């Protein structure tokens, strides 16, 4: 019997992701120490416990508003791209450009825009009084960077999913007297919901797992789970490794748990997830 | 007049949303001196580029290119095999297979890399091999999805006609199916390339600071000094190659989806 052609891919995912996640869990329980003998213990979880709840809340504070903003901006961008005209072509090209920019480069630019001595402060508050948008009490800069980058992803997925029939539906709505806003709310948004749900899920999970954006643009305390895990992981005290692993395991459980909730609550998003990743074609 | 104004408003706002966050980097890369509260640099120049080159920008870009090509070279055939089985409905339990192949999207990369770091230290596996393996797995959902779309759009009748005309199964695949799905596989390759190029956290964790790619160099510079001009030059140099790649892919006849139909 010939082996299934999906086997190499499935084995690669199970081997790499399974080994990585298994090692994180084992490390958190003291069963895979960097040095010394394995010894089952809850010390890592006890050490991380005071910060896990705060960090999980901070992760949600980063990811949920950023996802909502990315979905809103992405659907609005999709509306522009799907409206015939020269502006749509320019916007479509820029959406592709933003999608390709690495998050770290985006975070640097947003920091230079919203930071204390950034372009925003230079233009709007040269005499002082610029709010703490980078590293402040609310992760405004982190929201903006994630929403900026991910709105491009949402827009391309939505355009690909509704593209073929959208022009006809939109023309029918226009002939019945619907203006641009009503065509967006009554035609585009309803037909884009499965694709928006699928792309929103990807954005949400990314928002929970992102390290570099929150590290560069977020406040130093409380930290989201990836930043907490990374800091403990890099500690000179090797005894912090199990606590780092506990934070990483908590971050993974939070991402997987939220993903499962979305996939169960919105089955259409689950069905759209595969095509959403593949069908990023931009049609007019 | 009002209608023309409102018709131009939405694209205008979209342009502001898409362009504004990039403006500071574009200004800082040309700033020789830009003191607060000047809205524009007081002196234009290439200080940032000089310092970025001194920091090892070219070597970082070279490493990023090699890493991204290795990731794409590994992920594309895996994605193509899985995509053929899924697109042609040859896979048993396709929902389970899709769930497993999409799993890397739902797991935070830093957690997987953190776990593998402990494993790699115990095994005789070079760190760079571990980085490529993890990034290829992270790229696999995109590569598989693009390949699946290509195979799903390639009618099976094409292959059957080739067989009816006397082609062997191998000839039918090589001469008929492969050219038809090639655009999707090209998209799969470049999507995997982007995953490899853009990564920061996996390369940093598993590379142990020795694999200094362009994003790693950018991260260490941005997190350390307050040298905005050099940071902006590094950010722009890190962003331009993937932007050019994706624009080239999007300019193809079937855009980012590739495919045949």
């Amino acid at each position: 019997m010939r082996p299934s052609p999906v086997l190499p891919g499935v084995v690669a995912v199970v081997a790499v992701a399974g080994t990585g996640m298994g090692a994180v869990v084992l490390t958190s329980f003291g069963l895979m120490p960097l040095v010394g003998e394995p010894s089952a213990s809850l010390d890592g979880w006890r050490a991380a416990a005071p910060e896990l709840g705060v960090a999980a809340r901070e992760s949600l504070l980063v990811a949920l508003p950023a996802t909502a903003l990315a979905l809103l901006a992405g659907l609005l961008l999709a509306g522009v791209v799907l409206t015939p005209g020269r502006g749509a072509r320019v916007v479509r090209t820029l959406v592709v450009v933003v999608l390709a920019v690495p998050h770290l480069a985006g975070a640097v630019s947003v920091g230079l825009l919203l930071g204390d001595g950034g372009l925003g402060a230079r233009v709007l508050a040269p005499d002082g009084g610029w709010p703490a948008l980078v590293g402040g009490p609310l992760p405004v800069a982190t929201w903006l960077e994630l929403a900026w980058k991910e709105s491009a992803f949402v827009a391309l997925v939505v355009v690909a999913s509704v593209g073929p029939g959208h022009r006809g539906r939109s023309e029918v709505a226009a002939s019945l007297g619907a203006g641009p806003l009503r065509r967006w709310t009554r035609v585009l948004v309803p037909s884009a919901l499965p694709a928006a749900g699928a792309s929103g899920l990807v954005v949400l999970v990314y928002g929970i797992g992102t390290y570099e954006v929150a590290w560069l643009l977020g406040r130093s305390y409380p930290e989201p789970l990836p930043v907490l895990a990374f800091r403990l992981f890099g500690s000179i005290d090797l005894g912090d490794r199990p606590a780092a692993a506990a934070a990483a395991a908590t971050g993974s459980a939070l991402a997987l748990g939220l993903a499962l909730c979305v996939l169960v609550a919105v089955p259409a998003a689950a069905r759209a997830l595969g095509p959403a990743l593949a069908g990023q074609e931009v049609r007019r | 007049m009002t209608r023309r104004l409102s018709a131009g408003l939405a694209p205008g706002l979209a342009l502001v949303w898409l362009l504004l966050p990039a403006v500071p980097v574009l200004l800082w890369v040309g700033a020789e001196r830009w003191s607060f509260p000047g809205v524009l640099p007081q002196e234009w120049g290439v200080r940032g580029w000089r310092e970025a080159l001194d920091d090892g920008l070219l070597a970082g870009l070279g490493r990023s290119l090699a890493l991204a090509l290795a990731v794409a070279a590994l992920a594309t055939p895996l994605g193509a095999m899985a995509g053929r089985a899924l697109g042609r409905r040859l896979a048993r339990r396709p929902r389970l297979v899709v769930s497993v192949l999409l799993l890397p999207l739902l797991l935070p990369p830093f957690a997987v890399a953190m776990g593998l770091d402990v494993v790699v230290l115990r095994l005789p596996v070079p760190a760079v091999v571990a980085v490529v393996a993890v990034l290829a797995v992270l790229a696999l959902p995109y590569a598989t999805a693009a390949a699946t779309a290509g195979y799903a759009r390639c009618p099976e009748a094409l292959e059957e006609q080739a067989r009816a005309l006397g082609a062997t199964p191998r000839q039918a695949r090589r001469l008929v199916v492969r050219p038809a799905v090639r655009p999707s596989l090209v998209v799969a390759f470049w999507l995997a390339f982007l995953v490899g190029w853009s990564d920061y956290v996996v390369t940093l964790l598993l590379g142990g600071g020795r694999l200094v790619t362009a994003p790693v160099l950018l991260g260490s510079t941005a997190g350390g000094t307050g040298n905005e001009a050099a940071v902006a030059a590094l950010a722009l140099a890190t962003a331009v190659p993937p932007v050019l790649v994706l624009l080239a892919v999007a300019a193809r006849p079937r855009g980012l989806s590739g495919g045949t139909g």
Side-chain angles (χ1 to χ4, degrees):
Chain A
M1 201 173 78
R2 293 181 64 185
S4 167
V6 297
L7 203 59
V10 168
V11 167
V13 171
V14 171
V16 171
T19 304
M21 291 314 304
V24 159
V25 173
L26 289 175
T27 303
S28 73
F29 288 109
L31 294 169
M32 214 165 173
L34 202 57
V35 288
E37 291 297 312
S39 164
S41 132
L42 288 173
D43 288 352
W45 287 93
R46 283 199 197 96
E51 300 196 65
L52 285 183
V54 183
R57 205 167 57 222
E58 189 70 8
S59 290
L60 292 174
L61 180 67
V62 166
L64 290 173
T67 304
L69 194 54
L71 280 173
L72 177 65
L75 283 165
L76 288 168
L77 287 173
V80 174
V81 170
L82 288 165
T83 305
R86 201 171 52 187
R89 282 196 293 276
V90 176
V91 171
R92 182 182 54 181
T93 303
L94 283 175
V95 164
V96 174
V97 168
V98 170
L99 180 71
V101 172
H103 269 287
L104 186 59
V108 163
S109 200
V110 168
L112 293 173
L113 176 69
L114 299 181
D116 279 345
L119 189 61
R122 291 167 187 266
V123 173
L124 299 173
D127 300 325
W130 183 250
L133 303 178
V134 173
L138 286 175
V140 176
T142 313
W143 289 337
L144 180 70
E145 199 285 334
L146 290 173
W148 176 62
K149 269 278 300 161
E150 300 300 333
S151 65
F153 172 67
V154 173
L156 287 178
V157 170
V158 166
V159 168
S161 75
V162 303
H166 178 75
R167 182 180 282 187
R169 289 192 295 272
S170 191
E171 282 171 0
V172 169
S175 68
L176 293 171
L181 182 62
R182 187 159 287 194
R183 291 204 297 276
W184 185 77
T185 54
R186 298 289 175 87
V187 179
L188 175 61
V189 172
S191 58
L193 275 182
S199 53
L201 172 64
V202 174
V203 176
L204 180 65
V205 170
Y206 183 84
I208 289 171
T210 182
Y211 166 74
E212 58 265 44
V213 181
W215 165 65
L216 266 183
L217 299 176
R219 53 184 165 176
S220 54
Y221 186 85
E223 309 149 300
L225 285 162
V227 181
L228 171 67
F230 213 97
R231 179 173 58 78
L232 291 170
F233 187 82
S235 164
I236 53 169
D237 181 359
L238 292 180
D240 285 339
R241 284 286 179 108
T250 307
S252 307
L254 188 63
L256 276 178
L258 277 173
L260 284 178
C261 288
V262 173
L263 291 175
V264 169
V266 193
R271 286 193 294 274
L273 192 55
L277 296 173
Q280 295 173 2
E281 179 182 17
V282 185
R283 292 194 186 93
R284 277 189 49 225
Chain B
M1 177 73 184
T2 311
R3 180 171 285 188
R4 283 184 65 183
L5 203 66
S6 67
L9 187 64
L13 288 174
L15 289 178
V16 170
W17 169 254
L18 292 168
L19 284 174
L20 186 61
V23 169
V25 155
L26 298 175
L27 289 174
W28 267 110
V29 293
E32 191 74 16
R33 190 172 63 84
W34 192 5
S35 308
F36 191 86
V39 173
L40 289 173
Q42 286 86 13
E43 205 178 317
W44 297 92
V46 291
R47 178 173 64 89
W49 291 107
R50 274 198 314 271
E51 291 174 1
L53 288 169
D54 289 346
D55 288 345
L57 172 60
L58 289 181
L61 289 172
R63 289 187 202 101
S64 284
L65 180 66
L67 177 63
L69 288 174
V71 168
L74 190 57
T76 307
L78 292 177
M81 281 191 280
R84 179 170 174 271
L86 292 169
R88 288 289 173 83
R89 301 178 187 279
L90 303 172
R92 276 181 292 175
R93 299 190 181 185
R95 292 181 72 168
L96 179 64
V97 169
V98 169
S99 302
V100 172
L101 291 174
L102 291 181
L103 194 61
L105 282 180
L106 306 180
L107 289 172
F110 82 92
V112 175
M114 207 171 269
L116 282 175
D117 181 66
V118 184
V119 178
V120 168
L121 285 174
R122 291 157 191 256
L123 296 174
V125 178
V128 68
V129 173
V131 174
V132 171
V134 173
L135 293 178
V137 164
L138 293 178
L140 199 49
Y142 300 97
T144 303
T148 302
Y151 278 104
R153 275 195 297 263
C154 174
E156 282 182 60
L158 270 182
E159 197 171 351
E160 286 163 11
Q161 282 167 8
R163 296 291 309 282
L165 291 169
T168 63
R170 177 174 287 191
Q171 283 174 324
R173 278 200 301 273
R174 187 167 57 85
L175 299 173
V176 177
V177 178
R178 210 174 289 166
V181 298
R182 188 173 292 139
S184 291
L185 299 186
V186 169
V187 171
F189 181 90
W190 289 117
L191 289 178
F193 178 93
L194 290 178
V195 171
W197 180 280
S198 304
D199 174 72
Y200 173 70
V201 74
V202 172
T203 312
L204 187 64
L205 271 170
L206 286 177
R210 292 182 300 278
L211 184 57
V212 185
T213 58
V216 170
L217 184 60
L218 171 61
S220 66
T221 311
T225 66
N227 188 343
E228 287 92 346
V231 170
L234 287 166
L236 189 62
T238 303
V240 165
V243 166
L244 293 180
V245 163
L246 211 52
L247 281 177
V249 173
R252 294 164 63 90
R254 293 217 28 120
L256 286 174
S257 73
T260 59

